[in-house]
Amino acid sequence: MSSVAENLERVREQVAEAAAKVGRAVDEIQLIAISKTHDAEKVRAAYGAGQTLFGESRVQEARAKIPELPSNLRWHFVGHLQKNKIRHALPLFELFHSVDSLALAQEMSRIADEEGMHPRVLLEVNVAGEASKFGFARTALRGEMEQLLALRRLTIEGLMTIPPLAPEAEASRKFFVQLRELRDGLESEFQMKLPRLSIGMTNDFAIAVEEGATLVRVGTAIFGERSRPGRD
Ligand SMILES: *Cc1c(COP(=O)(O)O)cnc(C)c1O
């Protein structure tokens, strides 16, 4: 089995190759090492190899892990955020990738107001309309955008999606394109900037980079297989 440092090196090379292929600058793309289910020791190994940006998908796990690690590590939240965990989550994460409903956004805004915080968020879109997934439906998002923009405590910086599971990475491309086109449409319709696109995981991050990812969320290719599912 290869080490976390070797894995990271390989993933970085693949990100750079994909960027070069489509003429993008590699520094437009941030690699987030998704450390859910993996212990602090493995995170430290990645940190030792120069990785400072990490992602977690469960608040409880993050609350235990983050304090064990150097304070200059940066953390993004990528999972489904339960409303009763918002208050604990706000101080831990610099970006929330997965605001998946208007109700969650409103509750985050209310709690952020009480706590005097200004969370940065992405809106998670269920592009394929899968019944099993969280996220805004494409049409619903258009309809709810005014209300989302009225939440002055939240800074909405872009969109995120998780495409349907598929054996072939290529299958993700059309969903990434749909997310980017939705983003472009929202930017012109609402006269706003949504510069961040959080797309791409272990299986399809190279495709995501080709299609405009600014954040790729890679777990397995860096840390190895997980012993339990990380997202629920
Ligand atoms: C677990 C997870 C990832 C990483 O998945 P891998 O396939 O292990 O790279 C990325 N994004 C989200 C939202 C996740 O929950």
Side-chain angles (χ1 to χ4, degrees), residues 28-170:
E28 290 172 24
I29 302 138
Q30 286 187 288
L31 171 63
I32 309 163
I34 305 294
S35 52
K36 65 184 183 193
T37 79
H38 298 292
D39 59 20
E41 207 51 51
K42 275 196 165 168
V43 176
R44 240 176 252 118
Y47 178 56
Q51 181 71 23
T52 53
L53 182 56
F54 295 89
E56 286 285 332
S57 65
R58 291 183 185 186
V59 176
Q60 231 160 322
E61 183 181 339
R63 283 183 76 197
K65 197 182 295 182
I66 293 174
E68 291 183 51
L69 288 155
S71 60
N72 55 333
L73 270 55
R74 296 154 52 212
W75 297 89
H76 288 191
F77 189 79
V78 301
H80 172 62
L81 183 57
Q82 292 169 298
K83 292 202 186 98
N84 63 0
K85 303 274 169 56
I86 295 171
R87 206 177 296 274
H88 286 308
L90 283 179
L92 295 177
F93 299 100
E94 63 169 46
L95 183 68
F96 291 84
H97 288 230
S98 41
V99 172
D100 52 20
S101 70
L102 176 60
L104 175 63
Q106 287 169 332
E107 190 62 5
M108 279 181 86
S109 176
R110 188 183 72 76
I111 293 173
D113 192 50
E114 286 178 7
E115 303 284 332
M117 301 183 81
H118 293 87
R120 296 164 46 210
V121 307
L122 309 179
L123 303 174
E124 179 172 353
V125 183
N126 182 355
V127 207
E130 292 171 282
S132 61
K133 282 223 172 94
F134 292 107
F136 289 89
R138 278 187 282 170
T139 45
L141 182 53
R142 281 211 147 78
E144 292 175 336
M145 203 66 200
E146 296 284 3
Q147 288 171 83
L148 287 162
L149 291 172
L151 302 171
R152 309 305 302 207
R153 282 277 164 183
L154 305 189
T155 307
I156 301 171
E157 299 190 348
L159 304 182
M160 176 271 218
T161 198
I162 306 171
L165 261 183
E168 288 295 319
E170 260 313 313

Side-chain angles (χ1 to χ4, degrees), residues 34 36 57 78 160 162 201-203 217-221 226 231:
I34 305 294
K36 65 184 183 193
S57 65
V78 301
M160 176 271 218
I162 306 171
M201 306 172 30
T202 288
N203 287 331
R217 314 177 306 265
V218 180
T220 308
R226 288 181 287 274
R231 193 168 212 262

